Amino acid sequence: MSTFATLWAELEPIGRDSHTGGYRRYAFNDAELQCREWFTSTAQARSLDVELDRNTNLWAWWVPPGVDPQAKALVIGSHLDSVPDGGAFDGPLGVVSAFAAFDQIVASGLQPDRPIAIVAFADEEGARFGIACAGSRLMTGALDADKARALVGRDGPTMAQAMRDNGFNPMTLGTDSERIARIGQFVELHVEQGKGLVDLSEPVGVAECIWPHGRYRFTFCGTADHAGTTRMQDRQDPMIAYAHTALRAFDAALLASQRATFGRMEVEPNGTNAVPSVVRAWLDARASTESELKDLVEQVSTAALEATSRNGTTVEITPESITGVLEFDRELRSHVANSIATSLGIRDVPVLPTAAGHDAGILASAGVPTAMIFVRNPTGVSHSPDEHAEEADCEVGVRVLAAAVQGLLA
Ligand SMILES: [Zn+2]
């Protein structure tokens, strides 16, 4: 068995639900702690120095003799946690590939002149505490430590409590500028969460940018009433206004090849036999450019205003977070693309935008040169037990990651 296949087989059963086949590796739960143990023993088997940073991200360092440990490191890796009932590949593929690529680099006899580190960022999906990329955001200061400590988990305890219960010290959380200064480059390999590579018939590609995206809270207000005695024409039902808005959001995004999702809502009073008084719904919108994102959100907002004016309800729209387009480092990107071209013997390496957020994006916003390698996903399905990548494609991923690292160190 190849190193990749061996490591993959070790990690695969951890945190997989036997009924759904999906993964439940959430920050500081048993499965996630087991993944951390796997990381540690895998690193120690390679004589790497394992380090837990102040934000609970895990690092495995290789500082060859004679190399200045403070020299800017080349960092590879990804994350080990999952969304609820997520797939096996989102995150772990990048960490397993990093270890397998590391073995190839060592076997090649390369003598790096600076440290190499493998990282597993903590709580990337935010499944338990609600904030994505918490580990990297804390590190860069994009997430405030007090705010993080107070986040309430879906299962009850705050992040601080969950950390304490499992032997972590929540008081160490906070910006880690020293560490960021030590990262020369970060290359994250990740399963593609779409079908770009399937369409191009290539096993791997490089990321170009992360689409701008935003989250907006729509609060529709009407009048609570009796579901039996109130005639249909007499109702001020905010659910109906919301429903029209959601349909229009879908159509607008579909027509323009963008993304609009209402994936979360709250209803008051939330009774089967009551016309609701309030519907709160959250729009997640993403588009290829910032002006297209603005247009998309305007179209959805207009739809909401029209729908509410038709049935005597109101709507208030509050942007909760808006993130601009993030372009990965041009030089590093083209270096990675050249490595892929050379090692696979192809001329045109696919360059893909992505509409998903990643730790690489957080680091890039903090000024770290970052690049991403995507591995083909045959169905494009992600955040689902059906997420998949063929083993042969994963092995290509390992090879090109190793080639990219060797190229950067040569
Ligand atoms: Zn991921």
Side-chain angles (χ1 to χ4, degrees):
M1 260 204 323
S2 69
T3 309
F4 176 84
T6 306
L7 295 179
W8 191 255
E10 288 169 9
L11 190 59
E12 203 177 19
I14 302 174
R16 185 173 52 203
D17 184 79
S18 56
H19 294 291
T20 63
Y23 287 84
R24 298 179 177 180
R25 298 163 173 166
Y26 315 141
F28 315 117
N29 80 353
D30 287 349
E32 197 256 2
L33 297 176
Q34 280 182 54
C35 289
R36 288 173 175 272
E37 280 168 27
W38 169 86
F39 182 97
T40 302
S41 60
T42 304
Q44 284 169 346
R46 288 160 176 76
S47 303
L48 301 173
D49 291 326
V50 178
E51 183 197 17
L52 179 74
D53 74 17
R54 55 185 293 182
N55 295 302
T56 74
N57 305 305
L58 273 171
W59 299 76
W61 290 93
W62 184 37
V63 187
V67 167
D68 174 7
Q70 293 308 316
K72 279 187 178 281
L74 176 52
V75 181
I76 53 178
S78 188
H79 63 96
L80 292 170
D81 65 315
S82 75
V83 295
D85 281 327
F89 295 85
D90 178 353
L93 182 64
V95 181
V96 171
S97 299
F99 279 115
F102 175 80
D103 284 3
Q104 292 188 5
I105 294 157
V106 172
S108 76
L110 181 88
Q111 286 298 318
D113 58 358
R114 57 199 177 105
I116 295 180
I118 297 172
V119 66
F121 281 109
D123 200 9
E124 194 272 348
E125 302 287 5
R128 189 172 184 185
F129 300 105
I131 293 201
C133 301
S136 56
R137 279 185 210 269
L138 278 160
M139 186 170 89
T140 64
L143 171 59
D144 176 71
D146 282 332
K147 190 180 166 192
R149 280 187 281 263
L151 290 170
V152 179
R154 287 193 169 211
D155 54 333
T158 59
M159 184 184 279
Q161 192 58 47
M163 286 181 71
R164 258 186 239 112
D165 290 348
N166 291 289
F168 297 92
N169 179 2
M171 298 322 290
T172 63
L173 295 180
T175 311
D176 198 348
S177 315
E178 241 171 77
R179 183 169 303 270
I180 294 168
R182 282 180 70 189
I183 308 173
Q185 289 120 344
F186 176 50
V187 181
E188 180 172 5
L189 178 145
H190 204 279
V191 67
E192 198 199 345
Q193 296 168 296
K195 289 169 74 173
L197 291 167
V198 173
D199 292 345
L200 295 164
S201 298
E202 293 289 356
V204 293
V206 293
E208 179 191 29
C209 64
I210 298 180
W211 278 15
H213 64 275
R215 292 178 179 193
Y216 309 82
R217 186 174 67 243
F218 284 59
T219 308
F220 296 91
C221 292
T223 310
D225 227 326
H226 194 291
T229 58
T230 318
R231 297 187 306 169
M232 301 311 282
Q233 60 269 38
D234 294 339
R235 298 179 182 204
Q236 285 106 44
D237 183 347
M239 182 66 83
I240 303 306
Y242 159 69
H244 280 291
T245 307
L247 290 171
R248 289 275 295 275
F250 180 89
D251 288 342
L254 177 71
L255 277 174
S257 298
Q258 297 156 352
R259 311 279 188 272
T261 307
F262 280 102
R264 175 184 169 199
M265 66 185 296
E266 292 170 358
V267 183
E268 288 174 21
N270 206 22
T272 308
N273 57 355
V275 175
S277 55
V278 179
V279 170
R280 242 171 259 111
W282 281 261
L283 171 70
D284 177 305
R286 306 173 194 228
S288 53
T289 66
E290 288 172 22
S291 73
E292 282 180 51
L293 177 65
K294 207 164 154 255
D295 284 352
L296 175 63
V297 176
E298 264 168 27
Q299 283 185 64
V300 181
S301 305
T302 305
L305 290 167
E306 283 172 10
T308 49
S309 72
R310 279 202 299 270
N311 75 346
T313 56
T314 61
V315 64
E316 190 186 339
I317 301 161
T318 314
E320 288 194 336
S321 69
I322 301 170
T323 311
V325 66
L326 186 135
E327 214 180 313
F328 289 107
D329 186 79
R330 273 167 192 273
E331 201 184 312
L332 185 59
R333 216 167 79 194
S334 76
H335 170 86
V336 171
N338 288 340
S339 299
I340 293 176
T342 312
S343 72
L344 299 186
I346 57 172
R347 253 223 326 257
D348 294 318
V349 176
V351 178
L352 307 160
T354 172
H358 296 284
D359 294 309
I362 305 298
L363 263 60
S365 342
V368 176
T370 64
M372 290 190 76
I373 298 171
F374 288 130
V375 172
R376 176 164 52 192
N377 177 337
T379 59
V381 170
S382 187
H383 286 186
S384 149
D386 294 333
E387 181 185 87
H388 188 66
E390 295 294 338
E391 192 176 325
D393 288 351
C394 296
E395 296 283 5
V396 173
V398 172
R399 221 167 77 214
V400 301
L401 180 60
V405 170
Q406 283 166 310
L408 285 165
L409 293 171

